[in-house]
Amino acid sequence: MSLSRPLGRLRLGVNIDHVATVRNARGSAYPDPVRAAKLAEEAGAEGITAHLREDRRHISDHDIERLMETLTLPLNFEMAATDEMQKIALRHRPHAVCIVPERREERTTEGGLEVAREENRLAHFIAPLREAGCRVSIFIAADRRQIEAAQRIGAPVVELHTGAYCDAHAEGDFEARDRELERLREMSAFAHSIGLEVHAGHGLTYDTVKPIAAFPEVMELNIGHFLIGEAIFRGLVPAIHEMRRLMDEAREG
Ligand code: PXP
C-alpha cells in the first residue's frame, strides 16, 4: 500500500555525534554536544540523536547523562545490540532506542543491521527495552527480508538506511541513485503496510533530502554529519532551518 498524502508532519532528529568528534580531536571540553542539542531545539528540531559507540569515539557516557538531565526534546539513543549498551539504555530509559550495527574498524555505520539472521537474539534483546518504555527502532537496509524480520521481533519502528542512495548521488552515479531511491520508496510503503513506523537517515544533505522527505510514509529523518559541517559556515541554527525548509517544501509537494 502506498499513500498519496503524508501521514503527518515529518520530524527532524538532529544527530550531534560529530560535535563530540571535534571536541575529542583535541581532548578539550568544547565544542559541547549538549550545547548543540539545545541550539537544535531552539532551531525547531523535534528530537536529538546520539550514538554511544562501543569505543566512545565521539559521544561519551557523561554526554548521555547530561542529555538525559537537561534535554526537553526526546532523545533517540543509538546503540549496538550489546549487553553493555542495553544496561546503559535501561538505566536512562531514553524516549527512543535505535539499534545499529557496529564494527570498530568502520568510519561510520556502513550498513543496516542483519536482523533476519539474528531474529531470536534480537527479539530477546529488545524486549526489556520495550518493557522499559523505550520506542525501539531498528536501523536496516531497505530490504524486504530485513523489514519482515524487524516486524517479527516486535520492533515498532524501522529506520531505513539512506547511505547507498546518498553515496551514489555524491559519486554522480545517477542511475544507481535512482535505483536506490526507488528501493527506498517501495520499502517505505511496504514497511508501513505491515504496521511499522518508518524513519530514514544516514548521509542526507540539502541535495538529497527532498526525495526522501516526500515519501508519505516516512515520519522522521535523522541527520547529523552534514548539518554539523554546514554549521561551520552558516551556524547551527540557520543550517537546521534550511534543512527544515527543504523538508517542508518536499512534504507540501
Ligand atoms: N541514523 C542512524 C541510525 C545513524 O547511525 C546515523 C549516523 O550516526 C544517522 C542516522 C545520521 O547520519 P549522518 O550523520 O550521516 O547524517
Side-chain angles (χ1 to χ4, degrees):
M1 178 181 62
S2 190
L3 303 166
S4 53
R5 294 168 104 260
L7 286 171
R9 180 176 158 86
L10 180 60
R11 296 189 300 268
L12 171 61
V14 173
N15 181 316
I16 54 168
D17 291 351
H18 297 299
V19 178
T21 303
V22 176
R23 175 193 62 192
N24 295 1
R26 290 288 291 271
S28 55
Y30 61 84
D32 179 8
V34 178
R35 183 174 168 201
K38 289 186 187 143
L39 273 181
E41 184 165 5
E42 270 176 50
E46 279 87 4
I48 297 297
T49 295
H51 182 177
L52 184 67
R53 292 187 75 106
E54 189 193 0
D55 62 7
R56 309 301 198 267
R57 70 174 70 155
H58 38 57
I59 293 294
S60 68
D61 298 69
H62 188 49
D63 292 331
I64 297 294
E65 276 159 33
R66 289 166 60 232
L67 286 167
M68 286 303 298
E69 276 162 19
T70 58
L71 261 193
T72 47
L73 285 182
L75 178 68
N76 175 30
F77 179 65
E78 286 183 7
M79 55 177 248
T82 64
D83 290 346
E84 183 201 15
M85 289 299 151
Q86 191 192 51
K87 277 197 197 98
I88 294 170
L90 290 173
R91 192 163 72 239
H92 291 299
R93 299 176 180 232
H95 165 79
V97 165
C98 181
I99 311 295
V100 302
E102 206 176 290
R103 280 182 294 122
R104 263 175 193 274
E105 63 276 17
E106 70 188 359
R107 252 189 305 169
T108 179
T109 312
E110 279 159 12
L113 195 68
E114 174 50 63
V115 195
R117 262 190 266 134
E118 279 205 273
E119 259 184 65
N120 250 339
R121 183 178 88 83
L122 288 170
H124 283 104
F125 185 81
I126 69 168
L129 297 167
R130 293 187 62 197
E131 278 155 29
C134 302
R135 191 143 174 87
V136 174
S137 82
I138 310 285
F139 188 46
I140 50 175
D143 175 316
R144 186 179 286 261
R145 253 180 72 245
Q146 303 297 345
I147 293 169
E148 287 171 340
Q151 186 213 34
R152 281 195 299 270
I153 67 169
V157 183
V158 286
E159 178 161 330
L160 300 184
H161 198 310
T162 53
Y165 154 70
C166 293
D167 287 348
H169 178 86
E171 285 155 16
D173 185 346
F174 298 134
E175 262 177 45
R177 176 198 62 188
D178 294 347
R179 253 196 328 273
E180 290 299 331
L181 191 60
E182 204 40 46
R183 193 209 309 266
L184 285 159
R185 183 196 318 282
E186 281 172 17
M187 290 302 110
S188 300
F190 174 66
H192 172 72
S193 77
I194 63 169
L196 294 165
E197 181 172 314
V198 183
H199 300 176
H202 208 280
L204 291 170
T205 67
Y206 294 153
D207 290 336
T208 49
V209 73
K210 284 181 77 172
I212 304 291
F215 296 164
E217 298 86 0
V218 173
M219 298 296 292
E220 180 174 308
L221 297 181
N222 286 301
I223 308 181
H225 186 249
F226 174 80
L227 282 175
I228 302 308
E230 193 62 15
I232 295 169
F233 304 107
R234 42 171 121 196
L236 186 56
V237 171
I240 293 171
H241 280 165
E242 177 62 4
M243 191 60 84
R244 180 79 253 176
R245 187 186 71 73
L246 293 166
M247 286 163 60
D248 290 343
E249 213 172 78
R251 210 65 171 178
E252 281 151 19

